[in-house]
Amino acid sequence: MKLLLPSLHLLNSHRRKLCNKENFSLVERVHLNIQKSLYPKSYSSRKSSMRNDEENMVIRNKYKLNIIVVSDKKEEGKNVLFDKVKSQVDGEKFVVYNLSSQALEKSSSWMTGCRAIIMQKEVENALLQESIEQFQNSGGLVICATDKERLVEQLALFSSKETEEWQDSLASIFSQGFLYSDPDTVNLLNCDRILARKKNNVLTQGKVDLILAGDGSCDTVEKANESKEFFHLEDFSDKANFNVENYLAKLETKTLGRNIISLPSVSSSMNVVSGLPLVDGLVIVPDRQTAGEGRGGNRWISPEGCAMCTLQLHLTLGRGIGRTPSLLQHVVGLAVIKALGDDLDIRLKWPNDIYYKKEAKLGGVVVNSSMFSSNLIINIGCGLNLSNQKPTLSVNQLRREAGLSEVSREQYLAATLNYLEDFLRRFDDGRAQEVIQEYHKVWLHTNQQVEIHDGVCGEEPQPVRILGLDEYGYLLVQDQHGRQFSVHDDGNSFDMLNGLIRPKFS
C-alpha cells in the first residue's frame, strides 16, 4: 500500500499591496494577476514569454497608481465612463483600467496599487461589496458615477499635477504587522539561518516579504524581492487587535506559539510560511484573510470573528509523529476540541472538519508539507468560527445561548497550542495510542455504517462499518465478511454524515 500525506494544499490568489509616499506601484502586475486568476490555462502557456515584458512594465510604471473603472455600459460601442476618466486624469501619475464587476468578484488582486475605484452604479453583490468596503477602509477611494458632483470633484484632483495629498493618504508600500519572539527560544530575531537570509532588514518568503527591522523606508523596500505582499513587523502595541499579553498569560508551551506574528489582513496566513522554513512553532494569526482556499480547492471564507492561524512545525522523520505525519491534521483537530472544553457538543468529522453535533460545520484544518535537509516542514492552517455574527453559526453564539461566558481568540489559541504540544510530546514518548483513543472519543463516526461506491468499476455499493483510524490516520473499516481495510481521503468525496464514500472525479 502506497502511503501519501493528504494533499491538502492551500492555494491562494493575490492580495493588495499599498503604495508608499514615492508612489511605488506594480501597476501592470495588477492586470497580469487578474488575467492569471481569470484565465489560468492561457496564463500558464504564456507565463515564460511574458516574464520579461512584465518586468519591463513594472520598471516603466513603478511611479504610477491605478484607477479602476467598473463599467459594463457602452454607447455606440464605446465605454463612455472609462473614456471620460481616462481623458481627464493625469497620465503621468495614474494608469486607468476598465474591469467588469464580474472580474472584480473573481479576484481581489485589483486592490494592488489601486488608488481609486469608480463604479458605474452601486454594488449589489454582497461579496464584492465586502471587498470594496475593505479597500475603502484601507485608504482607497470609492466613487459612484451617479454622484456626479463628487465624480467631477475627484477627477479634477486626479488631473492635478500636485498629487502629494493622495500619496500621503495611503499607507506605505507595506502593511503593518506585529511580532513577538520569546527571547528564551530560537526566534526570528536571533536564528542564524534567518539572519543569513535577511537583506536590508527584509526577509523574503515565497509569497510575502517580512520587514523585521528598520524604518521601512522606500530604499529598503525597493531592494526587497517584489513579492505580492509586504509586512513591516513591529513590537505588539495597542494598535494590534490581538492581545498578546492575554495570550502569553494562558500559553504553557515550551516551543509552540512562542514566536507569533499578528497581521490585520493577509491573502492567506499560509503565504507567510511559504518558501524556506522559518522557526519551529511559529504561529501566524491574521485578523482577516482575503483569498484563502481550503482542502480540495474549496474557498476558505474568513469574515470578521473567525479565529484563524497557521502553525509551522519542524519534525524529524522517523521520530515521534514524524513517523506518521499524516496523523497531524487529526491531532490538531483534537487539540481544538479539547481547547473548547466539554460545555458544547463539538465534534470531529473525518478527516479534517470541526462540527457542532452533526448540524453545522464550525471549522477545519489543512496541512502542507515539504522537506528541508533532514526535517519535515509542516504548515498547518486552522480556521474556526469563534465569534462570527449571524447567519454564520459560531462557538460564542452557542455559548451565549447556553448561558456560558464567551471564549476570547487569545484564550482559544493558547489552549489549542497547549494541548497540541502535549499530544506531540506523547508521540515522542511512545504514547501515541493515548492520543488516538482521545480522538475516537470526540469524533462522529464510531461504528457508523457507510457505503463505499466504486464509480470506476461500476460495482454495487459496498456496505462497511467504521472501526476507527488506522496507524496513518486513514479510515479503518470492516466489510460484511469481516475483512478490514483502510480508506484514504485522497481522491474521494466523503458524505460521511449521510453514510456515503465515493470516488471524486474532476
Side-chain angles (χ1 to χ4, degrees):
M1 179 173 61
K2 185 177 180 181
L3 301 176
L4 298 172
L5 284 176
S7 54
L8 304 174
H9 299 292
L10 190 64
L11 306 175
N12 296 280
S13 61
H14 308 295
R15 175 69 179 120
R16 64 174 176 81
K17 178 171 62 182
L18 298 177
C19 299
N20 69 352
K21 295 183 180 180
E22 297 298 325
N23 277 346
F24 183 90
S25 173
L26 303 184
V27 175
E28 298 292 342
R29 191 184 293 272
V30 178
H31 185 59
L32 191 66
N33 284 344
I34 293 174
Q35 286 184 320
K36 180 178 178 181
S37 298
L38 299 182
Y39 311 105
K41 291 184 179 179
S42 62
Y43 174 84
S44 176
S45 63
R46 294 179 294 148
K47 182 177 181 181
S48 177
S49 63
M50 293 179 69
R51 186 177 294 113
N52 292 334
D53 291 340
E54 180 194 3
E55 292 172 354
N56 291 334
M57 287 189 291
V58 168
I59 294 173
R60 187 171 66 248
N61 294 296
K62 64 186 281 188
Y63 295 108
K64 297 182 182 181
L65 293 170
N66 303 322
I67 297 174
I68 295 178
V69 178
V70 183
S71 174
D72 304 311
K73 184 177 180 180
K74 294 184 178 181
E75 297 178 10
E76 299 179 356
K78 296 182 179 180
N79 192 316
V80 178
L81 179 60
F82 171 72
D83 292 341
K84 179 179 180 180
V85 173
K86 189 173 182 180
S87 66
Q88 293 193 29
V89 304
D90 183 359
E92 294 296 318
K93 291 183 170 64
F94 299 102
V95 177
V96 182
Y97 293 101
N98 182 220
L99 294 176
S100 67
S101 56
Q102 289 80 8
L104 264 66
E105 292 171 13
K106 294 180 180 179
S107 172
S108 61
S109 57
W110 59 267
M111 297 187 193
T112 304
C114 184
R115 179 63 192 106
I117 180 169
I118 300 175
M119 314 288 294
Q120 178 78 46
K121 58 182 180 179
E122 295 289 345
V123 177
E124 298 177 355
N125 181 280
L127 188 60
L128 178 56
Q129 179 64 41
E130 187 176 337
S131 296
I132 289 176
E133 287 177 358
Q134 183 174 349
F135 170 68
Q136 197 169 20
N137 293 336
S138 300
L141 283 175
V142 178
I143 306 164
C144 185
T146 56
D147 188 347
K148 294 184 179 180
E149 183 177 343
R150 182 164 183 256
L151 177 61
V152 171
E153 177 184 345
Q154 300 296 353
L155 288 179
L157 289 171
F158 284 140
S159 65
S160 171
K161 302 298 181 180
E162 303 297 329
T163 58
E164 284 76 8
E165 61 180 290
W166 300 107
Q167 301 164 19
D168 292 339
S169 67
L170 294 174
S172 63
I173 193 171
F174 45 78
S175 298
Q176 188 178 45
F178 304 92
L179 168 67
Y180 171 81
S181 288
D182 190 326
D184 295 328
T185 64
V186 176
N187 61 58
L188 288 174
L189 301 179
N190 66 19
C191 177
D192 291 339
R193 176 169 43 81
I194 300 297
L195 295 175
R197 288 175 50 203
K198 285 174 57 178
K199 295 181 180 179
N200 299 302
N201 295 323
V202 177
L203 180 64
T204 297
Q205 288 300 100
K207 298 182 180 181
V208 303
D209 279 347
L210 303 176
I211 304 172
L212 299 179
D215 60 2
S217 64
C218 180
D219 291 339
T220 300
V221 173
E222 286 194 273
K223 292 176 182 177
N225 183 46
E226 289 178 352
S227 302
K228 305 301 183 297
E229 296 172 280
F230 290 80
F231 296 99
H232 183 215
L233 303 181
E234 61 182 55
D235 292 339
F236 272 87
S237 67
D238 293 340
K239 292 184 289 185
N241 291 326
F242 188 86
N243 190 318
V244 73
E245 293 182 356
N246 290 350
Y247 162 76
L248 292 174
K250 299 289 185 180
L251 191 66
E252 301 171 358
T253 63
K254 292 183 177 179
T255 303
L256 302 191
R258 290 294 168 182
N259 286 271
I260 183 168
I261 294 174
S262 174
L263 301 174
S265 180
V266 65
S267 56
S268 169
S269 56
M270 294 289 268
N271 282 348
V272 182
V273 294
S274 66
L276 292 175
L278 293 170
V279 292
D280 186 25
L282 171 68
V283 175
I284 314 297
V285 182
D287 297 334
R288 181 182 180 84
Q289 288 186 143
T290 60
E293 288 188 21
R295 182 174 178 270
N298 294 322
R299 187 167 183 181
W300 191 325
I301 303 297
S302 306
E304 184 178 355
C306 184
M308 302 158 286
C309 71
T310 288
L311 169 67
Q312 183 169 101
L313 297 179
H314 297 186
L315 303 179
T316 301
L317 282 174
R319 178 186 173 189
I321 203 168
R323 297 189 183 96
T324 54
S326 49
L327 281 169
L328 260 172
Q329 62 176 335
H330 310 300
V331 176
V332 173
L334 175 61
V336 169
I337 299 298
K338 300 292 285 186
L340 295 174
D342 301 326
D343 298 320
L344 299 173
D345 189 12
I346 299 179
R347 300 295 194 93
L348 291 171
K349 172 180 171 288
W350 190 85
N352 65 336
D353 290 335
I354 300 163
Y355 262 69
Y356 173 61
K357 298 180 179 179
K358 292 185 178 181
E359 298 176 7
K361 181 176 176 178
L362 295 175
V365 179
V366 292
V367 177
N368 288 340
S369 63
S370 62
M371 288 295 300
F372 182 79
S373 186
S374 61
N375 286 333
L376 183 63
I377 308 302
I378 304 289
N379 294 326
I380 304 166
C382 182
L384 177 73
N385 293 340
L386 184 65
S387 301
N388 310 51
Q389 300 300 313
K390 292 182 178 181
T392 304
L393 185 66
S394 67
V395 170
N396 280 329
Q397 286 180 37
L398 294 170
R399 293 185 67 85
R400 287 194 300 270
E401 291 171 2
L404 302 169
S405 60
E406 296 188 15
V407 177
S408 70
R409 180 169 54 152
E410 294 81 2
Q411 177 184 351
Y412 153 73
L413 179 58
T416 298
L417 296 173
N418 292 341
Y419 277 108
L420 180 58
E421 187 166 281
D422 175 62
F423 294 151
L424 297 180
R425 189 180 301 113
R426 295 195 213 179
F427 273 85
D428 290 341
D429 296 340
R431 298 184 291 146
Q433 279 305 311
E434 293 180 8
V435 181
I436 301 302
Q437 288 172 8
E438 291 202 43
Y439 178 89
H440 286 149
K441 291 177 183 178
V442 298
W443 81 332
L444 291 167
H445 309 299
T446 299
N447 291 321
Q448 182 182 354
Q449 300 288 333
V450 297
E451 290 182 343
I452 298 178
H453 291 235
D454 187 350
V456 176
C457 300
E459 298 178 358
E460 290 295 320
Q462 181 180 3
V464 296
R465 180 170 63 90
I466 296 175
L467 301 178
L469 298 182
D470 71 7
E471 60 181 318
Y472 301 101
Y474 302 125
L475 203 62
L476 183 64
V477 300
Q478 180 175 292
D479 66 13
Q480 293 175 316
H481 304 289
R483 293 174 298 192
Q484 296 183 10
F485 55 94
S486 294
V487 179
H488 295 208
D489 53 338
D490 285 352
N492 290 288
S493 178
F494 295 86
D495 189 359
M496 296 289 291
L497 300 184
N498 289 322
L500 299 175
I501 302 177
R502 55 183 177 272
K504 177 171 150 182
F505 303 97
S506 59

